[in-house]
Structures are given as C-alpha cells and as structure tokens.
Amino acid sequence: MVYNRHKMIKKLLNNTIFRLLTGVVLGLIVGPYLTDGLLQIILSAKHILGQLILFLVPLIILGFIVSSIAKLDQNSSIIIGFSLIIAYASSVGAGLFSASLGYNILPWIDVPKSTSTLNELPAMLFKLDIPPIFDVMTSLVLALMLGLGILWIQSKELEKAFDHFREIVLLLVNRVLVPLLPLYIACNFALLSYRGSIQSQLPVFIKVIAIVIVAHVVWIGILYTIAGLYARKNPWEVLKHYGPTYLTALGTMSSAASLGVALQSAHKSKILKPEVSNFTIPFFSNIHLCGAMITETFFVMTVSLVLYGHLPDVTTLILFIVLLGIFALGAPGVPGGALTASLGLITQLLGFDDAGIALTLTIFALQDSFGTACNIVGDGALSLMVTTFHDKQHKKREAN
C-alpha cells in the first residue's frame, strides 16, 4: 500500500501537466509579495531560461524537419505544398470567422475604454543573452532546402547524420527544454501577478477575451472535425494527447517554446505517423496562426470601435486578413510575433494612430497565450490531414 502510494506520488510529480499547473499556481501566489531583490532575480531567471529555450528552437526545427523530409519519397514536394495550402487556408478562415463574430457581437457589448496603471518592474539583476545560431524563419527555410537536397540526391550518409542529430535534439528537448518549462512559466506568472495585469484588466478580460477564447475552442473543433472527415478517422485520438501542449503554450506564449511538448503529444497518437508528424509539427508551428488570426482580427475591430467609433469596412478588413496570413508566416513562433508582423498593416490599412496601436498591444498581450495554444493545438488537426494525404499519394503511386 505504502509502495503504491509512493509510486503514484512519484508519477504525479513527473507528470508534465501537473508540473506546468504547479508553475502557474506558484507564480500567481508569490507574485504580489515579491520584493525588488526577488523581482530582479526572477527577471534574470526568466530572461536566461527564455534564451535557452529559444536557442533550442532552430535546432529542433532543423533536426526534425530535415530528417523527416529526407525519409519521404521523391514526390514529397507535393506534401510540402499541401501543408502550406491548408495552413494558410486555416489561418485566413479563422480570421474571416473572427470577423463575422465581431460584426455581429461587438455593436451589442460595452467594451471598457481604459486600463489601470500597472506596477513597474525593477531593472534586471543580471542579463545573459544566448542568441540562436539563426532565427526561426532561416532555420525553417534551411531545413526545407537541406531535406529536399538530401532527398533528391538520395544521400544515405547525410540522412543518417541528420538522424543522429535529431536524436541529440530529442534528448535536449526531454532533458533540458521540458524540465525548464515549469520554472519559466512560474517566473512569467509571478511577474504578471506582481504587475497586476490579471487583476487590473479583469473587466477587459471577461468582456472581450472570453469571446475570443470561445472562438478559439470553436475553431479547434472545426479543424478537428474537418480533419476527421477527411481522414475518416476519429480526431479525438489526436486531440486527447494535446493537454500538456495547450498548458505549455498558455505559460510560454510561444509556439516555438512549446514545440518540444507538441512533438511528444503527436508521437503519442496512434493515427499520426512519426515520419510525417516530425515534419508537420515543427513546420506548422511557424506558418499556422489560426489562433493569432482570430485574436488580432477581433481586437482590431474592438479598438476601432472604442477609439474611432466605428468598425472597419468589410472590404478593408478582408484585405487585412488575407495580407496578414502572408505577412506573418514566420511570426507565430515568438510571443506577440503575429501582432508585431502586422503593425504596418494596422497603421497603413486600418489607419490606426499611436493610441490605437498601444491599446491593441495591451489587449493582445493579455490573451496572447490563448491564441498561441489555439495555433499549436490546431497543428495536430492539420498533421492528421497531411498524414492522410501522404498515404493517399503513396497508394496512388503504387497503383500506377
């Protein structure tokens, strides 16, 4: 009995979801009681941990995508093209879905027009920058080029070398990235709790962000339903493994930082093939931004109504959504990346001034983690579609 209880406790402590939730709760509890000295230490710890996590991201992309493409057949370029099309279609579709919600809901709700002053953070005690070897977009393009090159020349030596590199990266994910995530999340939530972001912005959070979160859930349901119908398989076999990934994305606000856990979730599914998901999960984490599209579309409509007294013109908003899907292809991997990539569109296309940009940044930052979670959980549905498409192409070639 004692042995079984000890075993259950040990299993609970090693559970990824439990560790992530513990980090969130601890951060929220200790945040309001932090002194300047402790804040400086936490700021430094958060910065260094974030630097380590982001340093690993290009290596994860390179290790998994190159090895996966090299194992595909000579016609794999069609798989990549199919992946690009469905990712862009999902992103633009999510934006249009959000726009329809905005036009039907926003005129009927009272959106708060001001925010409370947040507590200031002290200067960082110690700053250690660990820049990645290359940025996310460079690693993505490099991985695609190397993978296709190895595939086309059928270099078994390079394929084997990148297989070993992938094994090294996987060890780094399991032994470095995943153990660091709960601490990184605890630091994030402690700072948010100290600043009073969650408490002071509660009215905005309830009235506006709640609608967006529901929209995220609905869109995830739509994606998995479409994927299940296309694959003729139960999509729950994929979705049920994404709990740790969703929580990781909530805490890190970064698809890239959640990449290691997302790969673990995909590998647990019985209907996703590792040779396909090892390519699609890193690939989609950098080009699929359905959650960010829902969030940003709804929020620019909200800010337009609050500050300028009207919603954007339908034609203008559709053009904004279509262009945002192109402009932000490499953005979802970093916190707030989609919004940063779209600042030019917000000012030039929607006509926002400094006040509009500031308000959009404030509201977007409050829920960025939920949009990120929608992005990366949606990747599982797209991976199921790519797996089915890959199988159909393989059977078609065998038949010919």
Side-chain angles (χ1 to χ4, degrees), residues 193-241:
S193 181
Y194 171 79
R195 295 200 71 196
S197 298
I198 298 175
Q199 302 92 321
S200 64
Q201 304 292 347
L202 190 59
V204 179
F205 186 86
I206 292 175
K207 292 186 177 182
V208 179
I209 299 178
I211 298 173
V212 171
I213 294 173
V214 172
H216 290 160
V217 175
V218 172
W219 189 254
I220 289 174
I222 292 173
L223 281 183
Y224 275 89
T225 300
I226 294 173
L229 292 173
Y230 177 74
R232 295 183 180 180
K233 294 179 181 178
N234 185 1
W236 177 247
E237 177 52 39
V238 179
L239 183 59
K240 70 180 182 181
H241 300 293

Side-chain angles (χ1 to χ4, degrees), residues 370-400:
F370 290 97
T372 300
C374 179
N375 290 343
I376 201 159
V377 172
D379 294 346
L382 300 192
S383 296
L384 177 57
M385 296 176 68
V386 176
T387 299
T388 304
F389 182 78
H390 173 266
D391 291 344
K392 289 181 178 180
Q393 292 297 310
H394 181 69
K395 290 178 181 178
K396 186 183 297 183
R397 284 190 298 275
E398 284 186 340
N400 291 333

Side-chain angles (χ1 to χ4, degrees), residues 44-56 130 184 257:
S44 299
K46 175 199 168 188
H47 177 76
I48 295 172
L49 291 172
Q51 291 285 295
L52 281 171
I53 291 170
L54 293 178
F55 177 83
L56 289 173
I130 311 173
Y184 179 64

Side-chain angles (χ1 to χ4, degrees), residues 22 24 31 33 38 60 64 66 96 110 117 126 147 150 156-157 177 198 209 224 267 287 292 300 320 368-369 375:
T22 301
V24 172
Y33 306 102
L38 289 174
I60 294 173
F64 280 91
V66 172
L96 295 175
D110 180 20
T117 303
F126 177 72
I150 294 171
K156 296 300 179 183
E157 294 80 8
L177 190 148
I198 298 175
I209 299 178
Y224 275 89
H267 289 166
I287 66 170
V300 294
F320 171 80
D368 190 22
S369 55
N375 290 343

Side-chain angles (χ1 to χ4, degrees), residues 345-357:
L345 292 175
I346 291 175
T347 55
Q348 296 179 21
L349 203 57
L350 300 181
F352 281 21
D353 56 15
D354 290 343
I357 293 174

